[in-house]
Amino acid sequence: MSKERIHEYHHPAAGWGALKSVGKFIAESRAPLSNVRALLKLNQPDGFDCPGCAWGDPEHGSSFEFCENGVKAVTWETTAKRVTPRFFKRHSVSEMMGWDDFRLEDQGRLTAPMRYNAATDHYEPIEWHEAFDLIADHMKALEGPNEAVFYTSGKACNESAYVFQLLARLFGTNNLPDCSNMCHEASGAALEASLGVGKGSVLLEDFEEAEAIFTFGQNPGTNHPRMLGTLREAADRGCEIVAFNTLKERGLERFADPQRKLEMATNGSGRVSTFYYCPKLGGDMAAVRGMAKVLFERDDVTGEALDHAFIARHTDGLAAYRAEVAATPWAAIEDQSGLARSEIIEAAEVYMRSNATIICWAMGLTQHEHSVATIREVVNLLLLKGNIGKPGAGTCPVRGHSNVQGDRTMGIYEKPAPEFLDALEAAYHTPMPRAHGVDTVNAVRAMDEGRAKLFIGLAGNFARATSDSAVCERALKQCNLTVHISTKLNRSHLVTGQDALILPCLGRVEVDRKADGTPQLITVEDSMSMVHGSAGIHKPAASTLVSEVEILTQVAERVLGNDVVDWAALRADYDVIREHIARVIPGFDGFNERVRAPRGFWLDNPNVSRTFPTETGQARFSAAALPAEVLHQKLRARSNWLTLQTLRSHDQYNTTVYGYNDRYRGVEGQRQVIFVNSEDMARLGLEAGEFVDLIGDESDGQTRRAAAFKVVRYDTPAGCAAAYYPETNPLIPLDSVGIESNTPNSKSVAVRLVKSQRLA
Ligand SMILES: Nc1nc2c(c(=O)[nH]1)N[C@H]1C(S)=C(S)[C@@H](COP(=O)(O)OP(=O)(O)OC[C@H]3O[C@@H](n4cnc5c(=O)[nH]c(N)nc54)[C@H](O)[C@@H]3O)O[C@H]1N2
Ligand SMILES: Nc1nc2c(c(=O)[nH]1)N[C@H]1C(S)=C(S)[C@@H](COP(=O)(O)OP(=O)(O)OC[C@H]3O[C@@H](n4cnc5c(=O)[nH]c(N)nc54)[C@H](O)[C@@H]3O)O[C@H]1N2
Ligand SMILES: [Mo]
């Protein structure tokens, strides 16, 4: 761990800092040469899909796409460190419960299937076939299929996701929660309601034609570094970039491209955003409402601010929306957004002068109580100027995990559409469960209340990623069996049910071979609905590792038999899985041929041709009132409470902590920090560098605390603080969720700060 230090970061994002950091990660993974080889194959036509993020690949992928994020993800997976049965013999589960997230995953790749022994408090080796039998026995012993929960993280490829949902549904349940429930659920719900398709409508090419690009609640410098290059190119050709972010994120402000030699040599600092606004947490709906107000007012005068032809032909609900906007007073807009009317007018001017606008967003919009309404308001703004279904314009929810969008396409969803179930029934001649299953928050409730007794996690770190950590852990511990299909050790493995298994699997960079030695292909779908193949190139981390598909089909075979599905055929050749997918899921005809084309293929999104499969067949304006008060307004009157957003540092991938630096925010060697505005520090009597404990809402009797966070003075709007996830998940009540999305409100958490006993 490097020395603890807080300082101001003056350099542009990416640039030399990123190169230095990359060198460090390659060296520390202890497998330098093979890593470099792996990197050269990353996101290339014949390589493997980067496990980093879901940003699209350029059309002509001949040049090596450099990305710090990708380097970290790959070196983390190709590390030479190993977690063997001997390791588990040395360390009890109770001992490892005292380790932090970095230390757990830094032990290296899991190598052997392990079963928890409560008597010794150690994980002990188990044979693969015994593990499969054990899971099957537990599943068969349940009183009903809804007692099982099948969780998926967006790292899972299309083939394993399809098999996983098929196993769950043939078993009889739609209990298929996923990381999307905590991530872009609100985007899907809002887009589905407004436009009839729960996915973004832009392609990477659209960024080359946009005249303005707005980003809301997103930190691409850290979380989607390849997007920075796209934004930079757009800025270079005169496209206006407008950022709405509660924090001044370095990557959005300035950026030096490692692929441009001159810029690197001069440490040039090209501006990325032309305009940068810092709304208060949860204040974006008000900001966008204000922009719409400016558009309507201008149109009343000129008759040209709106795209009347588009609105008449393709939308409904304008009159109600117009009335709602007119009824929203500027005072409410300014108070809720924390932005001045003049700033909102300035942003609206950019929007009005652009003939093609893309709006991007991520967790800063999706993890609030009013996220669905906010994203529908963003769509309203796009509709006003016909910015959907034309080149250079559209919606761009920037996804997180590399295949989170694909997993949903494959049917990982607790509320499947009836047509999807019909297609499964037609293909397998077996009735499918129709009742909705549980999402992540409801899965925790079901386990906590004894309604669910078996948990299987396909990738991910459920116990750590989910809100209300103490409640979530209590829930998992009550299960008869917990199973985690994983590449690395994490906290979820330590939160054991009465019986518990860790099943290690191949990572995406590794070769997965058929019985005859030829390599298998897997597929993924990116944020822009491009489906492409991925094949690992590395020797597996251990000869004992098997693929996710192998694990899932072995379990399925034991539980369901081979009458309906020939599971052995699925695992023998993933082409067979893709044939099943082609039969069931629209858009996948000829899957096996099309995915072998150099850049794969695009899944048609009807929005692109201005088709809106909503209830009315039109794109729908939504006329919701602004929330009466968002959290920062509610807490204003309560002394020493702040609204906390929980976000990612530069050195982490969700619950995977690569290191303790957050380069662009000037934090070194530590993660237990809370960023607080100067005025709030004065009001609360806090000094920079002193330690506070964070206390969440405990009004329901549940203790919610996170101890010893160092106060860092930071340029964040008054009343709004920030700290890293997942350390702050114990503070978020399970019931604090978004309306219609049921996503934990990770970006508006009520917290009280008290000086730490330890170091006060
Ligand atoms: N290196 C790295 N890459 C990743 C990940 C990672 O952990 N590490 N995670 C992946 C995943 S799963 C996801 S979902 C994405 C996440 O990508 P992001 O959404 O960029 O991730 P967060 O760190 O949660 O950042 C939220 C951003 O929104 C801003 N924000 C918070 N609340 C508000 C608000 O109310 N209004 C506005 N306007 N801004 C707000 C914050 O200041 C912050 O810049 O990244 C993916 N890529
Ligand atoms: N407070 C707060 N909570 C949040 C968020 C937030 O912003 N704030 N963000 C939410 C978001 S956006 C998301 S997406 C979720 C993330 O939730 P998850 O997706 O559940 O969590 P990850 O940290 O991505 O999972 C990491 C683990 O995945 C396993 N893994 C990695 N690669 C592979 C693979 O190829 N195969 C298999 N089988 N396993 C693999 C490793 O064992 C690793 O320990 O967290 C959510 N939770
Ligand atoms: Mo995510």
Side-chain angles (χ1 to χ4, degrees):
M1 199 193 295
S2 52
K3 204 168 158 308
E4 288 185 18
R5 201 160 80 95
I6 305 281
H7 59 93
E8 273 196 48
Y9 188 84
H10 296 292
H11 310 288
W16 291 115
L19 273 189
K20 221 168 88 186
S21 158
V22 161
K24 177 171 165 277
F25 275 93
I26 293 182
E28 283 178 3
S29 78
R30 294 200 212 137
L33 272 178
S34 59
N35 281 334
V36 174
R37 192 160 77 93
L39 285 167
L40 293 170
K41 285 278 182 190
L42 198 65
N43 282 11
Q44 296 297 304
D46 60 342
F48 54 90
D49 182 67
C50 179
C53 77
W55 189 247
D57 296 333
E59 186 78 46
H60 313 289
S62 53
S63 70
F64 164 45
E65 270 242 87
F66 173 93
C67 163
E68 186 181 359
N69 213 354
V71 173
K72 287 178 183 170
V74 169
T75 49
W76 201 245
E77 199 165 297
T78 56
T79 174
K81 301 175 196 171
R82 296 288 178 271
V83 173
T84 60
R86 265 202 10 241
F87 167 91
F88 285 109
K89 201 160 181 191
R90 273 202 305 274
H91 306 287
S92 72
V93 166
S94 310
E95 181 197 342
M96 291 187 283
M97 276 299 260
W99 298 5
D100 69 7
D101 302 289
F102 171 79
R103 185 162 174 203
L104 288 169
E105 284 213 24
D106 189 47
Q107 300 308 313
R109 288 288 299 276
L110 295 160
T111 56
M114 305 296 296
R115 179 185 185 179
Y116 182 61
N117 180 343
T120 62
D121 190 33
H122 282 262
Y123 269 101
E124 294 166 0
I126 180 173
E127 294 296 325
W128 275 112
H129 67 91
E130 290 170 344
F132 301 143
D133 289 343
L134 185 75
I135 299 171
D137 290 346
H138 272 284
M139 283 176 73
K140 289 183 195 161
L142 294 174
E143 276 171 32
N146 291 326
E147 287 190 348
V149 170
F150 300 84
Y151 172 73
T152 309
S153 156
K155 282 256 168 72
C157 63
N158 288 333
E159 289 69 21
S160 29
Y162 183 81
V163 169
F164 200 41
Q165 65 83 33
L166 191 59
L167 162 63
R169 295 203 165 104
L170 288 172
F171 184 62
T173 184
N174 285 312
N175 280 349
L176 286 155
D178 66 353
C179 66
S180 253
N181 296 142
M182 302 180 264
C183 184
H184 265 293
E185 194 67 58
S187 307
L191 293 172
E192 184 82 44
S194 290
L195 303 173
V197 183
K199 297 181 183 184
S201 73
V202 299
L203 281 162
L204 211 47
E205 291 78 45
D206 287 309
F207 285 84
E208 293 164 17
E209 294 186 46
E211 293 180 22
I213 299 169
F214 283 68
T215 74
F216 284 87
Q218 196 200 345
N219 181 21
T222 285
N223 297 317
H224 305 92
R226 287 184 299 131
M227 179 179 175
L228 273 192
T230 306
L231 290 180
R232 180 56 199 281
E233 270 168 35
D236 280 356
R237 60 170 179 78
C239 174
E240 297 197 89
I241 315 276
V242 183
F244 282 82
N245 195 308
T246 299
L247 303 180
K248 279 270 168 68
E249 300 287 22
R250 176 62 48 180
L252 276 170
E253 288 188 299
R254 287 190 294 150
F255 171 61
D257 187 341
Q259 295 189 358
R260 296 182 196 205
K261 292 206 179 60
L262 182 66
E263 223 164 55
M264 291 290 286
T266 59
N267 207 2
S269 59
R271 278 181 73 85
V272 171
S273 301
T274 2
F275 296 95
Y276 204 112
Y277 305 104
C278 298
K280 292 201 176 188
L281 293 170
D284 300 85
M285 182 175 176
V288 178
R289 174 64 51 94
M291 288 173 67
K293 212 171 163 67
V294 178
L295 259 74
F296 280 120
E297 284 166 5
R298 183 68 48 85
D299 196 66
D300 288 341
V301 179
T302 64
E304 288 177 354
L306 311 185
D307 183 340
H308 293 283
F310 173 86
I311 291 170
R313 174 119 196 259
H314 294 292
T315 71
D316 60 33
L318 180 76
Y321 178 56
R322 183 194 283 270
E324 189 56 51
V325 173
T328 316
W330 273 110
I333 289 171
E334 289 189 301
D335 189 48
Q336 192 159 104
S337 68
L339 297 177
R341 181 173 175 173
S342 58
E343 293 178 289
I344 294 173
I345 293 174
E346 186 181 55
E349 293 290 352
V350 176
Y351 183 69
M352 286 190 292
R353 59 178 176 259
S354 158
N355 293 306
T357 303
I358 294 174
I359 302 188
C360 306
W361 68 89
M363 298 303 103
L365 282 206
T366 64
Q367 296 178 332
H368 290 288
E369 186 178 2
H370 301 282
S371 290
V372 174
T374 302
I375 296 163
R376 294 198 70 180
E377 190 71 13
V378 165
V379 175
N380 287 342
L381 184 67
L382 287 169
L383 292 177
L384 286 177
K385 272 184 67 67
N387 274 316
I388 294 195
K390 73 176 175 193
T395 54
C396 184
V398 185
R399 303 274 164 180
H401 269 306
S402 51
N403 197 40
V404 62
Q405 186 161 317
D407 291 344
R408 272 289 164 93
T409 308
M410 292 300 117
I412 301 291
Y413 191 28
E414 76 283 357
K415 300 192 283 273
E419 304 80 60
F420 180 81
L421 298 175
D422 294 344
L424 283 173
E425 286 184 356
Y428 300 103
H429 312 289
T430 307
M432 292 290 151
R434 295 277 160 172
H436 288 174
V438 290
D439 58 14
T440 51
V441 163
N442 284 325
V444 172
R445 290 198 183 109
M447 291 185 284
D448 200 32
E449 291 163 13
R451 287 179 283 119
K453 299 196 167 102
L454 192 149
F455 176 95
I456 305 184
L458 173 60
N461 186 359
F462 186 86
R464 203 64 175 140
T466 307
S467 53
D468 230 349
S469 311
V471 175
C472 181
E473 293 191 1
R474 181 178 75 200
L476 281 165
K477 281 190 177 147
Q478 293 174 55
C479 285
N480 298 341
L481 174 68
T482 49
V483 181
H484 298 282
I485 302 169
S486 313
T487 51
K488 289 264 184 128
L489 185 64
N490 65 43
R491 181 143 176 127
S492 295
H493 303 144
L494 311 177
V495 184
T496 51
Q498 276 145 43
D499 226 329
L501 290 169
I502 303 174
L503 304 181
C505 65
L506 295 172
R508 207 177 273 176
V509 303
E510 288 158 343
V511 192
D512 177 1
R513 289 192 196 283
K514 297 180 201 167
D516 68 3
T518 54
Q520 298 270 23
L521 183 77
I522 59 149
T523 65
V524 296
E525 174 186 340
D526 68 25
S527 257
M528 283 95 192
S529 307
M530 292 294 301
V531 180
H532 51 94
S534 168
I537 52 166
H538 263 254
K539 197 169 149 239
S543 58
T544 35
L545 296 183
V546 300
S547 71
E548 292 169 354
V549 169
E550 168 90 27
I551 294 171
L552 299 174
T553 53
Q554 290 283 1
V555 171
E557 202 168 354
R558 284 165 171 79
V559 179
L560 303 164
N562 279 309
D563 294 345
V564 175
V565 177
D566 180 356
W567 302 99
L570 297 190
R571 69 174 164 267
D573 186 347
Y574 302 169
D575 276 3
V576 179
I577 304 178
R578 284 185 284 273
E579 283 163 18
H580 283 235
I581 294 170
R583 277 203 293 278
V584 171
I585 303 176
F588 285 85
D589 313 299
F591 191 3
N592 276 312
E593 295 76 47
R594 284 158 76 211
V595 82
R596 287 180 165 89
R599 309 300 306 173
F601 63 96
W602 179 64
L603 277 179
D604 185 28
N605 177 337
N607 289 172
V608 171
S609 49
R610 297 195 159 169
T611 302
F612 301 103
T614 61
E615 271 169 47
T616 59
Q618 299 281 56
R620 318 201 68 185
F621 282 99
S622 70
L626 277 193
E629 279 186 319
V630 297
L631 190 63
H632 77 80
Q633 294 171 302
K634 287 183 199 154
L635 294 179
R636 191 156 47 193
R638 293 165 70 180
S639 59
N640 72 354
W641 284 82
L642 293 172
T643 303
L644 177 78
Q645 64 154 320
T646 63
L647 41 52
R648 293 154 172 80
S649 82
H650 196 69
D651 272 1
Q652 74 181 84
Y653 196 94
N654 298 336
T655 70
T656 294
V657 176
Y658 301 125
Y660 295 91
N661 296 340
D662 192 7
R663 197 168 63 241
Y664 303 143
R665 301 196 187 104
V667 175
E668 278 179 33
Q670 57 200 320
R671 287 179 53 85
Q672 296 272 123
V673 296
I674 176 164
F675 302 105
V676 188
N677 162 290
S678 302
E679 272 174 50
D680 291 324
M681 284 174 59
R683 179 168 61 94
L684 303 177
L686 298 173
E687 301 288 335
E690 78 175 307
F691 283 84
V692 290
D693 293 352
L694 315 186
I695 303 179
D697 181 354
E698 298 182 329
S699 56
D700 60 356
Q702 173 69 41
T703 305
R704 296 194 176 89
R705 285 161 200 243
F709 282 66
K710 189 186 281 178
V711 174
V712 174
R713 188 184 303 278
Y714 210 77
D715 186 4
T716 170
C720 300
Y724 303 129
Y725 130 78
E727 289 84 345
T728 44
N729 266 341
L731 303 169
I732 310 176
L734 196 65
D735 292 340
S736 173
V737 290
I739 298 164
E740 291 174 62
S741 62
N742 217 32
T743 296
N745 294 327
S746 305
K747 298 289 188 272
S748 21
V749 187
V751 291
R752 199 152 57 84
L753 310 190
V754 297
K755 299 198 184 205
S756 296
Q757 295 297 346
R758 203 187 87 185
L759 298 147

